[in-house]
Amino acid sequence: MTDFHETFRSAVPPWECDIVEHFTVAYYYEKFRAAGDRALLGLGVLAKEARTTACYTRYKKELRAGDSYRIVSAPIRATGDGVSGGGLTIGHKLIDMEADAVAATTEQTFALDSPISLDGYAEWDGDPREARPAVGADAEWVPAATDVVFPKDVDAYGRLTLDAMVHRFTAAGGQLLNAIGWTPSHMRDNRVGYSTFEFQMTLGALPWVGVPLDTESTIGGIGRSSMRMVHRMIRADTGDLVAELSQFGVHLDMNARRPSSIPTEIAEAARALAGE
């Protein structure tokens, strides 16, 4: 399978929408995870023989409750020694069925247990990845999530799933926003929210049920209407990094469904946290 094939098809139920009233990022990742497993099966690879090591996602168009969509996927790139000893990247396009437009793209990179033979790779037209600066040494990291891996958080092979990670990062984002004055009451009273348009995520060894996890978050950069949050998830028992996420989004006017200026006092608090 070197051309794009359908790997998932569904619609957005209301309970998969967030406080910004659109399809929440963790549920995108639940679907991309399923699409990745289907794409691997199309290549003759069982999901248990592959581990996701990185994801790059661009959210290009809102999906809201009731919207129908499908995902098409294909291998787009190999890394390292072809595929053996390296990795394979699957490209996913999530398509809004009514608009017939790409609503999100993801590049999902896997480490494979065994080499595979491919005839070629599909042409990829997703947005190029931009290099984001590292978090400054003076940045303050906010404790943002504390829990353990629950049975509902793992896949059929006992590994923490992508969507379970993203649910935690979403909660961590709420803690971080609150710390800079971008509070729930600010969002409710002003009909604004934080709307994500980019994920860059890297993954380490995936933990199993019962492993304690701590997540901490900080600000990676701020503009007039945009802000980048950075989250890192750590095993509390060993200190090992489980995953790190760079999350870029905007201060969204929820009535106009457009970016709006971040209030001055919030921007100043964010810059202070970032060590600027």
Side-chain angles (χ1 to χ4, degrees), residues 54-56 77 107 109 126-131 198-201:
C55 290
Y56 168 54
R77 183 169 60 249
E107 299 175 27
T109 299
D127 293 341
R129 186 191 307 253
E130 294 187 39
E198 180 190 271
F199 267 11
Q200 293 194 30
M201 183 162 59

Side-chain angles (χ1 to χ4, degrees), residues 24 43 57 61 76 90 142 157 173 205 208 211 227 244 247 267 276:
T24 191
L43 298 171
T57 301
K61 180 181 184 297
I76 60 171
I90 301 290
V142 173
Y157 310 106
W208 49 89
V211 170
M227 188 175 75
E244 181 167 303
Q247 178 181 5
E276 295 182 2

Side-chain angles (χ1 to χ4, degrees), residues 124-261:
W124 181 244
D125 58 359
D127 293 341
R129 186 191 307 253
E130 294 187 39
R132 302 300 182 192
V135 172
D138 294 330
E140 178 183 349
W141 290 84
V142 173
T146 305
D147 61 1
V148 299
V149 180
F150 298 108
K152 65 181 177 64
D153 295 331
V154 300
D155 62 17
Y157 310 106
R159 303 175 297 194
L160 182 66
T161 65
L162 293 171
D163 37 303
M165 290 182 200
V166 176
H167 276 299
R168 285 168 170 79
F169 287 138
T170 297
Q175 292 279 347
L176 180 62
L177 292 176
N178 190 70
I180 60 172
W182 193 323
T183 61
S185 60
H186 165 71
M187 291 188 277
R188 286 191 294 264
D189 294 346
N190 296 283
R191 288 283 296 163
V192 296
Y194 183 88
S195 180
T196 300
F197 64 81
E198 180 190 271
F199 267 11
Q200 293 194 30
M201 183 162 59
T202 57
L203 290 78
L206 301 178
W208 49 89
V209 172
V211 170
L213 299 175
D214 289 340
T215 302
E216 55 186 9
S217 305
T218 192
I219 304 299
I222 186 164
R224 184 189 66 82
S225 61
S226 64
M227 188 175 75
R228 183 168 69 101
M229 299 189 282
V230 180
H231 315 283
R232 55 191 185 196
M233 181 183 296
I234 299 163
R235 283 189 56 158
D237 55 345
T238 64
D240 293 338
L241 184 68
V242 175
E244 181 167 303
L245 172 66
S246 170
Q247 178 181 5
F248 224 138
V250 298
H251 188 265
L252 180 74
D253 180 325
M254 291 173 57
N255 293 325
R257 311 308 296 182
R258 294 183 60 83
S260 58
S261 297

Side-chain angles (χ1 to χ4, degrees), residues 12 16-18 22-25 27-28 31 63 69 94:
V12 180
E16 290 186 352
C17 294
D18 57 20
H22 60 199
F23 198 23
T24 191
V25 288
Y27 287 113
Y28 276 90
K31 318 317 179 190
L63 290 180
Y69 63 91
L94 189 149

Side-chain angles (χ1 to χ4, degrees), residues 36-37 40-51 110-113 116 157 159:
D37 289 351
L40 289 172
L41 282 173
L43 298 171
V45 178
L46 297 177
K48 68 178 180 180
E49 299 170 344
R51 181 179 67 83
F110 297 91
L112 303 178
D113 288 348
I116 62 172
Y157 310 106
R159 303 175 297 194

